[in-house]
Amino acid sequence: MKSEAKGSSKSESSQHASLPELKLELSKGRAEETKADVLVVFATKKVESKKAGKGDKKSSPSAKAVVDGARAEISNEVQRLLGGGADEATASSFSGGAGESLFFRQQSLGAARHLLVIGLGETKSFEVETLRQAAAHIMSQLKAQKCKSATVNLDTVPHTSIPGDAWMQALVEGLHMSAYQFAEFKAADKSSAVEKINLVSSTRPKSLEKGLHAGEVIAEAVNFARFLGDMPGNRMTPTLLGEQAQKVAKGTKLKVSVWDKAKIKQEKMGSFLSVSLGSSQEPKFIVMEYKGAASSKKPIVFVGKGLTFDSGGISIKPSAGMEEMKYDMCGGAAVIATLAAIAKLKLKVNAVGLVPATENMPGPSANKPGDIVIARNGKSIEVNNTDAEGRLILNDALCYACELDPAVILDAATLTGAMAVALGNLHTGYFTRHDKLATKIATAAGATGEWVWRMPLTDFHAKDMKGTYADLSNISSGKGAGSATAAAFLEQFVEKEIPWAHFDIAGTAWHTGDRWPYNPRKGASGVMVRTFVQFAMNE
Ligand code: BES
Ligand code: ZN
Ligand code: ZN
């Protein structure tokens, strides 16, 4: 019997219980002496300078190589190991480009049976993301070749100005994120599960250990967020989501409280409460607190939409694709996972995670179009479309966030289909009126490989959200800009002087594997966890 909601502790974080977890081990030594199925080395793309004069291009054979483009730069050590094989490598179409790889079977190179050469592209364009993606290519080759173990020769990572901890973290993130499989309700394919990767360096500086630790904690958090997102609505109800937050906090300095319906009512979260009334599942308000700095330091408050299933309510969604609305809690999952990672990394910050969690169902007590509800800050809202429910639960959470005297509020939500129309599954759109905060967000996201794009938020959008019979309407009176008007609605619940940014992850929270090789092709991506943790690291 598989099934009880699992997924928080290290041993069961991201995998089905019967799937062995990928183990990474960093050691000092000679890679080819470390026993494993495969030895992995990196090669860069060598672009030869064009020395040939005008007109020589067609006639000279060496110029031909130039025209052909690049040749792989394979280290001397690997050349030696390969013997004749190196010629095969250079003569083949392999040029060391990013995404290229060569698998040599039965080479009996030292302690490994096979050899895998992974292209990284040109050294001058090498960045941490290169290794994150190269890690995904390692994992897909190992899976395809049914290899259980590998040794990665870290000495073949190009020497650049990028510090060891940074590239090591990215490599480790890439490996663990690529190992993720959601096999909770299916017999797992153990034959292709990679079990162990040795990361071997001849020097093993302290920075590599630091990168390994950060990479493991962050990737584990990403995989945990994916797991929460991938779980179906009946197995990840608000109650179970709250239990997951409590479970992941065990052994850390995180304090978790899960408010029940009575407390939510008592706290005057009338807007949030109204969304839950059409469901038989009790709503929960998840509060995660982490104190890693002096109490005088203002906290970073993360808020995530925890809609464990969005049917649309009385304004019901079309059936085609409705099953995807189990992912409507991916913002909440990202927040829970972010807090877990911040605590495990023992960051010297104060942070709070808030997740309003509920279903949106069309039961007999559900919100009806035209109903008026009152939010925690006293603002009245006409519910003109019950499917625009995300903003009706986030608003109360944002009011509460403001009461915590935060340094900054960041929220993540699968808020609008319009966001996916505008930016597809490449960029997460974010909204803020605070330029300094926008710069910090761009810096954090830039380091993690998550693509974000700043979107407009103006007084015009806010005007479109005014109500006829109440202060606000939950849908816009204008045409278009559905994501911006949703952001403008949320803004009505954030105090002006508090730096706040809203991330609409509707396009990026799932099915992004066609863009990022370390993300699942189908299923939750765990987006924003890396950027949120990086943001906290930079504070
Ligand atoms: N959860 C949806 C947004 C969504 C849609 C996310 C598709 C990912 C993919 C949200 O609650 C919603 O239904 N929003 C409405 C708002 C509209 C009624 C103003 C939408 O986007 O259609
Ligand atoms: Zn909806
Ligand atoms: Zn929704």
Side-chain angles (χ1 to χ4, degrees):
M1 229 325 256
K2 321 155 184 182
S3 88
E4 278 317 294
K6 284 194 188 86
S8 49
S9 71
K10 176 80 187 151
S11 61
E12 55 187 35
S13 59
S14 55
Q15 305 287 343
H16 185 279
S18 64
L19 256 186
E21 199 181 346
L22 174 64
K23 216 175 138 212
L24 301 186
E25 198 172 293
L26 173 63
S27 60
K28 182 177 166 174
R30 289 177 58 77
E32 75 259 29
E33 285 167 9
T34 311
K35 208 167 157 28
D37 292 342
V38 191
L39 174 65
V40 183
V41 296
F42 296 112
T44 53
K45 183 168 182 164
K46 183 179 181 186
V47 179
E48 290 171 15
S49 58
K50 200 173 167 184
K51 289 204 182 96
K54 256 192 196 163
D56 291 353
K57 216 163 129 183
K58 282 178 195 134
S59 51
S60 146
S62 62
K64 164 99 174 54
V66 176
V67 174
D68 281 352
R71 295 239 216 97
E73 181 106 277
I74 299 179
S75 72
N76 290 340
E77 189 192 357
V78 181
Q79 297 272 11
R80 184 178 59 73
L81 281 169
L82 271 170
D87 294 338
E88 195 188 316
T90 43
S92 75
S93 57
F94 182 78
S95 71
E100 290 180 26
S101 61
L102 270 182
F103 195 89
F104 296 90
R105 283 210 148 261
Q106 305 294 355
Q107 293 290 305
S108 293
L109 304 166
R113 266 190 301 147
H114 317 299
L115 174 72
L116 174 61
V117 186
I118 295 282
L120 297 178
E122 287 178 47
T123 307
K124 72 170 173 8
S125 47
F126 177 76
E127 49 187 17
V128 291
E129 179 65 10
T130 313
L131 271 189
R132 211 177 273 117
Q133 298 199 9
H137 295 126
I138 294 175
M139 289 298 285
S140 70
Q141 282 286 339
L142 296 181
K143 281 181 203 164
Q145 305 285 348
K146 300 215 181 307
C147 294
K148 300 243 170 254
S149 64
T151 296
V152 178
N153 184 342
L154 297 180
D155 295 341
T156 58
V157 171
H159 297 274
T160 66
S161 57
I162 299 171
D165 56 342
W167 63 249
M168 183 67 170
Q169 181 186 323
L171 176 67
V172 169
E173 284 174 3
L175 292 171
H176 275 306
M177 289 194 295
S178 308
Y180 176 81
Q181 273 191 60
F182 181 67
E184 196 65 17
F185 301 100
K186 236 174 138 178
D189 181 8
K190 286 185 208 164
S191 65
S192 64
V194 183
E195 292 170 16
K196 170 98 188 276
I197 296 186
N198 307 299
L199 302 164
V200 181
S201 150
S202 59
T203 52
R204 197 194 177 191
K206 269 260 168 291
S207 62
L208 295 186
E209 281 173 38
K210 206 178 137 200
L212 171 67
H213 178 62
E216 292 219 291
V217 171
I218 292 166
E220 187 190 351
V222 171
N223 288 347
F224 178 53
R226 289 172 175 177
F227 167 83
L228 296 176
D230 285 337
M231 285 293 272
N234 64 335
R235 301 286 179 151
M236 197 46 68
T237 59
T239 304
L240 291 169
L241 190 63
E243 284 173 12
Q244 287 289 316
Q246 270 158 336
K247 204 168 152 196
V248 79
K250 284 213 177 97
T252 75
K253 271 176 66 180
L254 276 173
K255 208 184 116 207
V256 179
S257 29
V258 180
W259 300 3
D260 61 8
K261 187 174 177 175
K263 170 83 170 157
I264 291 164
K265 206 169 175 177
Q266 187 193 329
E267 291 289 339
K268 299 198 161 34
M269 295 184 162
S271 182
F272 170 31
L273 190 71
S274 77
V275 174
S276 73
L277 296 178
S279 166
S280 59
Q281 291 292 334
E282 190 176 350
K284 299 285 172 180
F285 188 70
I286 304 166
V287 183
M288 302 176 86
E289 292 167 90
Y290 170 74
K291 286 201 166 69
S295 328
S296 56
K297 197 165 172 184
K298 293 183 175 188
I300 309 169
V301 181
F302 298 97
V303 179
K305 173 176 172 182
L307 232 300
T308 59
F309 189 77
D310 180 12
S311 70
I314 298 294
S315 315
I316 201 152
K317 286 182 180 293
S319 358
M322 202 203 269
E323 71 282 359
E324 294 198 337
M325 284 300 119
K326 69 170 184 173
Y327 296 118
D328 212 17
M329 35 59 72
C330 284
V335 166
I336 295 170
T338 295
L339 266 288
I342 288 175
K344 286 178 188 167
L345 292 170
K346 302 188 169 74
L347 297 188
K348 292 186 172 53
V349 296
N350 293 327
V352 180
L354 304 175
V355 180
T358 179
E359 285 186 341
N360 183 25
M361 297 291 280
S365 304
N367 275 334
K368 302 170 290 297
D371 281 0
I372 293 178
V373 300
I374 314 288
R376 183 172 168 89
N377 65 354
K379 289 195 181 174
S380 58
I381 306 155
E382 282 167 48
V383 181
N384 288 320
N385 187 319
T386 66
D387 196 12
E389 85 300 334
R391 61 198 80 182
L392 296 176
I393 71 169
L394 288 167
N395 56 356
D396 280 334
L398 288 169
C399 290
Y400 185 70
C402 290
E403 294 162 30
L404 302 173
D405 190 21
V408 54
I409 302 174
L410 302 180
D411 80 64
T414 46
L415 204 63
T416 63
M419 192 75 256
V421 173
L423 300 179
N425 68 349
L426 275 175
H427 298 82
T428 293
Y430 71 98
F431 300 79
T432 183
R433 298 234 202 186
H434 202 280
D435 291 344
K436 269 197 196 145
L437 177 56
T439 307
K440 284 184 179 184
I441 288 165
T443 305
T448 66
E450 291 189 324
W451 286 14
V452 297
W453 198 262
R454 189 174 178 185
M455 301 289 291
L457 173 54
T458 72
D459 291 346
F460 285 108
H461 299 117
K463 216 171 137 201
D464 286 348
M465 298 308 290
K466 288 204 183 305
T468 310
Y469 307 103
D471 299 332
L472 295 163
S473 164
N474 78 329
I475 55 168
S476 168
S477 58
K479 276 219 164 84
S483 307
T485 50
F489 177 91
L490 295 181
E491 192 184 35
Q492 306 311 308
F493 301 87
V494 182
E495 280 160 33
K496 268 211 160 59
E497 62 283 2
I498 299 173
W500 161 73
H502 155 63
F503 294 77
D504 194 333
I505 59 170
T508 51
W510 67 91
H511 303 353
T512 59
D514 58 330
R515 307 298 191 173
W516 318 109
Y518 40 74
N519 285 359
R521 286 203 73 80
K522 290 269 168 247
S525 62
V527 75
M528 289 337 288
V529 173
R530 287 183 284 144
T531 298
F532 280 0
V533 175
Q534 187 66 45
F535 185 94
M537 281 175 162
N538 296 351
E539 278 298 279

